[in-house]
Amino acid sequence: STTLSFQRIFVAFLFITGHSGLAKSSLKSSVNVLLASVVANILPLLVTFITHTQDLLLNRSLDDTTGHAKAGSFIPVSFMQVFAPLAATMSLILPRFTQVSRDSRVKNAIKEIQTLVDIWQGSVKAGTLEVESLRAVSLVKISLTRASRVFEDSMSLEELLAARRQKVDLEMQSQVEKQTTQVIPWREGLQPPDEDVAWDKASYRQMTIMPTEEEIMSEKPSVIPGNYAFNSFSHWLPPGPERMLDTQFRLLRHDKLEGFKVGIRMIVEKISCASKEAVTLLRDGGRFTPKGNQGVDMDIYPCSITTAFASVRHGMSAEIRIKLPVIAQKQPQIFWEKRLRRGALLCLICEDRRLRFVTVSEDGSKGRKRLEG
């Protein structure tokens, strides 16, 4: 059908002609040949775009009624993917080919497309279109406005001033919409954390780097500050080096440990419930990536402690036997070097469900590792 050809071929072609890589390409002669083919058929291209897009907006749907598509084929799922490639193509062609920018028919076609964008914006505001956003509409409008600058040479003073006012209004609208979508959790000032826990102190110098069992099993979220440039109330300390160091330490600790903590908490809860997944992981081990992920991607290894914990220089030490996963049994040395190399952080979940954090202190051989913690 013509709709199918428009969405699967025509719009996909616009994605190519409007790609930013063309403007930066060193193959300028080849790029000019491609763009010249578009210029030679610019009016049929714009007419085809307008007529098909009018029908799609009238139906308020991008469904091409085929119900199927070949693997790898392009299928637009929002009007942003229809309008944006055309706006990018016009931004590339109009400044480069002056004969196009002097054609009044092209100018009128661009105005008609801007009218279609206004219709699209009205539908988005009315909530009659799904998978759409006013932010996307604003970006397309700005892109079309920039592409239309080449027509300003032939504008009257009144038209020129009106175009400038429209550009300013669009940019201000885009900034307002962007700000309203940002979540600012520090509207009245961020308060320092309580002093009753070891992992969340008012001073980062007093915080523990390693997570504790109490921290992992606690449902109380840690206090996460923000950047001063984003919001001056995102920290309880005044601006300065101490505030910057405190912020970076807390954010880095959160990024490195949050997925680790959530994953261990979920595993312990599954063990407590004796879920089928927990039984399988404890028996066979494997990769643990729960639904929804939540930043959790962990490897579980069944193991047994072969020696008692003994006092060493840096704490306690013990030797454990680890059951290698099937994928590592053929090349165990590579597995040890990549997964459980010296210094790696591990969490032992004991039979009483108590947690012990240890590091690998000696290289493994025959399925054994020596741990310190």
Side-chain angles (χ1 to χ4, degrees), residues 281-302:
L281 285 173
L282 291 176
R283 183 186 68 242
D284 304 326
R287 193 173 182 180
F288 180 60
T289 52
K291 292 182 179 179
N293 198 349
Q294 302 181 53
V296 178
D297 188 1
M298 308 176 70
D299 290 314
I300 310 298
Y301 309 107

Side-chain angles (χ1 to χ4, degrees), residues 24-275:
K24 302 175 183 178
S25 174
S26 59
L27 304 174
K28 297 187 180 299
S29 59
S30 300
V31 171
N32 286 333
V33 170
L34 175 62
L35 296 180
S37 65
V38 178
V39 170
N41 300 277
I42 187 69
L43 285 176
L45 182 145
L46 293 175
V47 171
T48 299
F49 182 89
I50 292 170
T51 53
H52 283 84
T53 306
Q54 281 177 335
D55 294 337
L56 294 174
L57 285 172
L58 182 63
N59 295 328
R60 295 189 178 92
S61 173
L62 288 167
D63 186 6
D64 55 26
T65 70
T66 60
H68 66 278
K70 293 182 180 180
S73 61
F74 175 82
I75 306 175
V77 296
S78 72
F79 280 96
M80 173 67 168
Q81 294 177 316
V82 175
F83 282 108
L86 178 86
T89 300
M90 293 299 102
S91 298
L92 190 60
I93 288 178
L94 293 179
R96 183 174 296 201
F97 298 91
T98 56
Q99 69 272 26
V100 176
S101 60
R102 293 172 183 172
D103 193 328
S104 60
R105 296 172 298 178
V106 174
K107 179 180 178 180
N108 292 333
I110 297 297
K111 286 184 177 180
E112 184 64 26
I113 292 172
Q114 290 174 322
T115 302
L116 294 178
V117 173
D118 291 335
I119 297 174
W120 173 35
Q121 182 180 33
S123 299
V124 173
K125 287 183 176 179
T128 57
L129 288 176
E130 299 180 355
V131 201
E132 305 285 348
S133 70
L134 289 174
R135 172 68 176 160
V137 177
S138 298
L139 291 174
V140 170
K141 279 193 166 187
I142 292 174
S143 182
L144 283 175
T145 301
R146 289 174 179 170
S148 302
R149 287 177 180 173
V150 295
F151 302 125
E152 294 179 359
D153 293 339
S154 58
M155 286 183 177
S156 63
L157 178 60
E158 291 77 10
E159 291 176 329
L160 184 61
L161 292 175
R164 294 294 184 186
R165 283 194 295 268
Q166 182 185 16
K167 175 188 173 184
V168 173
D169 292 342
L170 286 173
E171 291 179 346
M172 292 182 61
Q173 179 184 356
S174 177
Q175 292 177 359
V176 171
E177 290 173 356
K178 183 177 180 181
Q179 291 174 357
T180 55
T181 57
Q182 292 176 336
V183 178
I184 304 177
W186 313 291
R187 294 187 183 279
E188 298 179 358
L190 185 67
Q191 299 300 317
D194 299 329
E195 294 284 347
D196 58 343
V197 292
W199 69 87
D200 214 6
K201 297 289 188 179
S203 172
Y204 78 95
R205 302 177 190 275
Q206 300 175 354
M207 293 171 57
T208 59
I209 296 178
M210 289 286 292
T212 62
E213 181 177 356
E214 182 184 6
E215 177 183 1
I216 290 174
M217 302 310 297
S218 173
E219 296 183 356
K220 179 182 177 181
S222 300
V223 176
I224 304 297
N227 192 295
Y228 176 76
F230 176 68
N231 189 292
S232 58
F233 299 104
S234 61
H235 207 292
W236 54 91
L237 293 175
E242 191 71 14
R243 171 172 176 161
M244 182 187 70
L245 290 172
D246 188 280
T247 300
Q248 297 304 318
F249 177 85
R250 293 176 192 273
L251 293 179
L252 181 61
R253 187 180 189 275
H254 179 82
D255 289 343
K256 295 297 183 182
L257 296 180
E258 188 62 20
F260 185 61
K261 295 191 298 182
V262 172
I264 294 175
R265 185 189 310 128
M266 295 177 70
I267 292 173
V268 172
E269 291 173 352
K270 288 179 180 293
I271 294 174
S272 301
C273 300
S275 67

